[in-house]
Amino acid sequence: MDRQQHARLDELTRDPYPLYARARRAEGLTYVPEMSAWLVARDADVREVLRRPDVFSSANAVRPDVVPSPAALAVLGEGIAVRRSVVITADGPAHQRMRAPIVRGLTPARVSAVLPYVAERAAALVDALAAPGNGRRADVMEAYALRLPGEVIGHVLGFEPADVPLVVRCGHSNERLMFRPLPEAEQIEAARDMIALQRLLDGYVRDRYATPRDDLCSEIVTSLAPDDGGEDAGPELTLGQRGELIAHLQNFLLAGHLTTTALIGTTLLHLLRHPAQWKLVCEEPERIPAAIEEAARYDTALQGFRRVTTRAVTLAGTELPAGAEVLVGFGAAGRDEGRYERPDVFDILRTPVARHVAFGLGAHGCPGAQLAREQLRLTLELFTRRFPGLRLAGDGPPVRMRPTLIHRAPEALYVEW
């Protein structure tokens, strides 16, 4: 993809909703050249794709938009070769095997056990935000949303707190290298970050294999490379096992903190754009769960994942051959006029008529949805209590959304109180 094509894609992804509306009105599916995929925009069609993983494979769920330069690829070549298939790109039994330890590690009981830590860290970040020397204005993305989810995921995995900033920074570097047309120097810097993250994760993988603990990292390692006396078992992990486990942890980290960061940002953005609704959740905090669901429906962080057909199939009247790429529009489904009344209106008082698909559905439904919701709940409870007068900064720059469908969020969100 050249820079001109990327500029068109950026424009499209910063505000994809007009495209979604056209696609829902069109007969059949709409082919989007900038995405090289058929857009699945109606709620019923999205659900059909998600319920038929045998026909709509996840093998291409996340595909890079750019190819790194030879110099950046050379840096990446210094790392451990990782398996390309991870939980979001696997199907069938392989997917079940990869997903199982994550589901076990994020059970309701385990999520509940981590909530005191979430509350403690959220309060500490807000204390820093509101410190007298900082004034009464801040970019809430930088000061809070970009920090809390990374700390929480690091804690759930069992990482040392001192390692979390590297994990968070490298997650963003990974995304930038995959999806942004960077100058070569920035590509090399991002590639070095990815190698640094690999080395950090490799240390955790080998440590947890040798001495498992009660954390999600151990759950993943012992489940996907079990020391059960089999032919691959041994006192140390093979290089292939290490590469596979590093890939799984990288995937989990990206999904675990970038998406929740984005959800915090978009939820605060839309509540503050509707001051009456912000005032309502301040006065009636029992409405916070409904506000979270409305924000996820209205402008979800994960706008869509790709799928590829395993055989010829007809979807919404459009005949797709085997190997056809489709983009499953979670964000488009959330604005479907056939399922929601006044879908383009943000309204936390709306009567729930149907559950949205912002967190996926079926075999690939997000296993971390409860943890994400709880972080949002604690965040809104804290912000409404500490900053009831919170508002968008009057002198701040216009809110600009990041040009991505993977972790849609404000680039910055300046607020004042």
Side-chain angles (χ1 to χ4, degrees):
M1 183 182 297
D2 61 30
R3 288 190 175 274
Q4 188 174 16
Q5 292 172 314
H6 220 289
R8 290 198 300 269
L9 181 61
D10 280 4
E11 182 180 0
L12 191 63
T13 53
R14 286 188 194 276
D15 182 12
Y17 291 102
L19 168 64
Y20 295 161
R22 292 194 300 272
R24 286 192 302 270
R25 291 192 299 266
E27 291 187 14
L29 304 181
T30 296
Y31 187 78
V32 184
E34 293 86 354
M35 299 175 180
S36 301
W38 294 91
L39 175 60
V40 184
R42 287 175 285 268
D43 183 272
D45 298 332
V46 166
R47 292 172 189 269
E48 180 177 352
V49 171
L50 296 177
R51 286 171 174 149
R52 302 177 68 186
D54 57 322
V55 178
F56 297 95
S57 168
S58 297
N60 67 331
V62 178
R63 189 185 68 188
D65 289 338
V66 295
V67 177
S69 69
L73 288 173
V75 173
L76 293 174
E78 298 171 5
I80 298 173
V82 300
R83 283 183 52 170
R84 302 303 299 175
S85 182
V86 291
V87 65
I88 63 169
T89 60
D91 298 305
H95 171 254
Q96 294 171 13
R97 167 181 169 267
M98 296 175 190
R99 179 183 170 89
I102 298 174
V103 172
R104 289 194 297 271
L106 294 174
T107 61
R110 287 198 170 187
V111 170
S112 294
V114 81
L115 293 186
Y117 175 83
V118 179
E120 174 191 334
R121 293 309 307 146
L125 289 170
V126 165
D127 286 343
L129 183 69
N134 292 340
R136 302 178 68 84
R137 181 181 184 277
D139 173 10
V140 77
M141 294 301 298
E142 173 61 31
Y144 184 90
L146 284 164
R147 298 172 186 265
L148 179 68
E151 293 187 11
V152 171
I153 286 300
H155 181 78
V156 169
L157 283 166
F159 289 179
E160 293 295 326
D163 291 331
V164 169
L166 174 65
V167 168
V168 172
R169 187 186 81 236
C170 293
H172 290 282
S173 294
N174 190 349
E175 185 184 37
R176 290 171 64 239
L177 189 62
M178 290 175 62
F179 297 107
R180 306 303 305 151
L182 304 174
E184 185 171 79
E186 292 185 28
Q187 291 185 46
I188 292 171
E189 182 181 1
R192 286 175 177 155
D193 275 350
M194 292 177 65
I195 295 303
L197 179 60
Q198 266 201 7
R199 289 170 178 159
L200 178 70
L201 296 180
D202 188 36
Y204 277 106
V205 161
R206 288 184 289 170
D207 176 76
R208 295 307 194 266
Y209 184 72
T211 311
R213 305 181 191 180
D214 184 20
D215 57 37
L216 182 52
C217 185
S218 297
E219 186 76 50
I220 291 172
V221 170
T222 57
S223 297
L224 300 184
D227 185 8
D228 58 2
E231 61 181 27
D232 292 332
E236 295 184 1
L237 290 165
T238 66
L239 191 61
Q241 287 173 322
R242 287 160 57 195
E244 178 183 9
L245 290 166
I246 289 169
H248 288 309
L249 288 172
Q250 284 178 322
N251 173 70
F252 179 78
L253 287 166
L254 284 171
H257 76 83
L258 292 183
T259 303
T260 307
T261 286
L263 281 168
I264 291 172
T266 52
T267 300
L268 285 171
L269 169 66
H270 295 303
L271 282 169
L272 296 178
R273 277 181 168 170
H274 298 80
Q277 298 192 51
W278 174 256
K279 183 173 184 289
L280 186 60
V281 293
C282 290
E283 295 173 347
E284 303 177 25
E286 65 272 17
R287 297 189 183 276
I288 285 174
I292 292 169
E293 298 309 314
E294 176 66 354
R297 176 205 69 82
Y298 180 77
D299 196 11
T300 190
L302 179 57
Q303 290 281 304
F305 267 153
R306 292 177 180 269
R307 295 290 188 268
V308 60
T309 55
T310 59
R311 59 174 175 79
V313 64
T314 300
L315 179 66
T318 299
E319 296 182 3
L320 301 172
E325 293 211 11
V326 300
L327 181 71
V328 189
F330 303 140
R335 301 279 188 101
D336 190 335
E337 302 85 347
R339 196 166 185 92
Y340 305 100
E341 184 179 351
R342 300 178 303 126
D344 291 319
V345 175
F346 179 79
D347 181 8
I348 67 171
L349 296 178
R350 79 169 54 245
T351 301
V353 293
R355 193 165 182 82
H356 58 70
V357 292
F359 292 101
L361 180 74
H364 281 271
C366 176
Q370 183 185 354
L371 181 59
R373 285 182 168 106
E374 293 289 0
Q375 289 182 72
L376 279 165
R377 178 183 64 80
L378 289 168
T379 293
L380 291 181
E381 288 177 354
L382 183 60
F383 273 66
T384 54
R385 186 170 64 250
R386 295 284 297 272
F387 308 116
L390 194 68
R391 58 191 178 273
L392 296 177
D395 61 346
V399 176
R400 186 173 167 87
M401 301 303 286
R402 297 175 66 244
T404 175
L405 297 181
I406 304 300
H407 304 117
R408 177 174 168 80
E411 290 182 340
L413 186 61
Y414 287 94
V415 298
E416 57 189 14
W417 58 93

